[in-house]
């Protein structure tokens, strides 16, 4: 029984989390002994938790939690819009690449190139094209969503056996029937694989691009808190909140996958 518990996934996760907490607290105690203001470098976890419920204002009229939540709405709104645009565009392109090999040969190298460009290197280029910081943030989230959705969906479409396609054609099926009854259903598992990768990336990209300019958002507040324009606890709240949102976005895609693929059909 004990051996079974020790080897369980939940126990391993618990040990990892406990180990990280211990390392964090050890680091916080070491810094507390060498710095006059340890809260400006690495606060204790209980201090971060206390700041979440604190009524102390870090701006003229907002607590640390209020700052995080207000700006989270701005960032997540951009990330969601970019995610939807990128997912739809990537899915359509995958369908076109599967249908026309010429499109795949032309588009695939550009997909690889986009993936190799760093986010922060891509942002100024997108900003120069859009001439609008808010639009550029949405475009960046869309681009990072676009690649994994397009590539994974295309891979799924290529697993369709030729015999199945030939069967449809032998019954004189129309193109839309082939897509609706064969290709789209066959692409759904791979689509969700891409979505599970893309969802956390869209959130991360939106936060990173927010750090480049003002206009609100978690990244902007992150940058300001690091420059001591407000409490450093805003920084740590954003770090943990962002990690939580990234994890939840992944599991949201897992939940949707279970809804659209009942019974674990893959």
């Amino acid at each position: 029984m004990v051996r079974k518990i020790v080897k369980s996934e939940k126990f391993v996760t618990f040990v990892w989390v406990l180990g990280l907490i211990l390392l964090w607290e050890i680091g916080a105690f070491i810094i507390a002994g060498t710095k006059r203001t340890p809260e400006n470098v690495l606060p204790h976890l209980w201090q971060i938790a206390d700041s979440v419920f604190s009524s102390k204002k870090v701006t003229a009229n907002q607590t640390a939690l209020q700052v995080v939540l207000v700006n989270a709405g701005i960032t997540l709104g951009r990330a969601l819009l970019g995610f939807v645009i990128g997912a739809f565009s990537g899915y359509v392109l995958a369908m076109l690449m599967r249908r026309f090999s010429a499109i795949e040969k032309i588009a695939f190298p550009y997909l690889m190139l986009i993936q190799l460009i760093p986010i922060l290197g891509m942002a100024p280029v997108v900003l120069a094209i859009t001439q609008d910081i808010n639009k550029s943030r949405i475009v960046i989230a869309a681009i990072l969503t676009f690649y994994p959705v397009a590539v994974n969906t295309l891979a799924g479409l290529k697993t369709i056996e030729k015999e199945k396609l030939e069967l449809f054609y032998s019954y004189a099926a129309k193109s839309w029937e082939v897509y609706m009854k064969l290709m789209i259903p066959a692409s759904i598992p791979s689509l969700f694989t891409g979505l599970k990768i893309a969802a956390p990336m869209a959130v991360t990209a939106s936060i990173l691009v927010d750090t480049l300019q003002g206009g609100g958002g978690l990244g902007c507040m992150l940058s300001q808190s690091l420059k001591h324009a407000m409490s450093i606890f805003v920084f740590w709240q954003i770090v943990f909140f962002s990690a939580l949102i990234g994890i939840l976005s992944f599991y949201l895609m897992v939940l949707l996958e279970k809804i659209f693929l009942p019974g674990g059909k893959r």
Side-chain angles (χ1 to χ4, degrees):
M1 181 68 180
V2 175
R3 183 177 297 178
K4 185 177 180 181
I5 294 174
V6 170
K7 290 184 177 181
S8 69
E9 185 177 340
K10 291 182 179 179
F11 181 79
V12 173
T13 302
F14 171 76
V15 171
W16 270 101
V17 172
L18 182 62
L20 289 173
I21 291 173
L22 289 174
L23 287 174
W24 183 295
E25 288 300 313
I26 291 171
F29 277 113
I30 292 173
I31 290 174
T34 57
K35 300 284 185 180
R36 293 184 179 181
T37 54
E39 66 275 11
N40 289 336
V41 183
L42 185 66
H44 293 283
L45 290 173
W46 65 264
Q47 291 177 309
I48 299 172
D50 182 65
S51 72
V52 173
F53 303 100
S54 175
S55 58
K56 181 180 178 181
K57 299 290 191 294
V58 297
T59 64
N61 53 8
Q62 289 182 320
T63 65
L65 181 61
Q66 288 172 333
V67 169
V68 173
L69 293 179
V70 168
N71 286 277
I74 298 172
T75 296
L76 295 180
R78 295 167 182 155
L80 177 60
L81 183 55
F83 176 76
V84 171
I85 293 172
F88 178 77
S89 302
Y91 187 78
V92 171
L93 179 62
M95 284 291 182
L96 292 173
M97 287 193 294
R98 178 64 179 84
R99 180 67 178 82
F100 304 102
S101 59
I103 294 179
E104 181 182 357
K105 291 177 181 178
I106 294 171
F108 203 82
Y110 289 102
L111 286 174
M112 297 300 297
L113 181 63
I114 289 173
Q115 182 68 8
L116 293 173
I117 300 174
I119 300 172
L120 296 181
M122 189 188 304
V125 177
V126 175
L127 177 59
I129 295 171
T130 61
Q131 297 295 314
D132 185 290
I133 185 62
N134 291 325
K135 289 180 181 178
S136 68
R137 288 163 173 161
I138 294 171
V139 171
I140 291 294
I143 289 173
L144 290 185
T145 302
F146 180 81
Y147 176 83
V149 169
V151 171
N152 282 280
T153 302
L154 178 62
L157 289 169
K158 286 188 173 183
T159 61
I160 300 174
E161 296 88 344
K162 290 183 179 180
E163 291 79 5
K164 291 183 179 180
L165 286 169
E166 290 171 355
L167 179 62
F168 270 81
Y169 293 137
S170 69
Y171 281 98
K174 296 179 181 179
S175 294
W176 68 268
E177 290 178 317
V178 175
Y179 276 96
M180 295 300 297
K181 295 181 179 180
L182 177 62
M183 298 188 72
I184 290 178
S187 70
I188 298 301
S190 298
L191 169 64
F192 275 105
T193 299
L195 292 177
K196 285 185 285 188
I197 297 171
M201 290 178 65
V203 175
T204 302
S206 296
I207 295 172
L208 285 175
V209 178
D210 279 347
T211 62
L212 298 180
Q213 286 195 6
L218 290 176
C220 183
M221 295 302 105
L222 199 71
S223 180
Q224 289 187 25
S225 61
L226 279 176
K227 296 174 183 176
H228 303 289
M230 61 179 66
S231 172
I232 195 65
F233 290 110
V234 172
F235 170 84
W236 289 113
Q237 283 191 31
I238 291 174
V239 169
F240 283 100
F241 181 83
S242 302
L244 178 62
I245 291 299
I247 294 170
L248 290 178
S249 66
F250 172 84
Y251 282 105
L252 176 60
M253 295 301 109
V254 172
L255 176 61
L256 291 175
E257 183 180 26
K258 290 179 179 179
I259 292 173
F260 284 96
L261 297 170
K265 294 178 182 178
R266 295 295 183 269

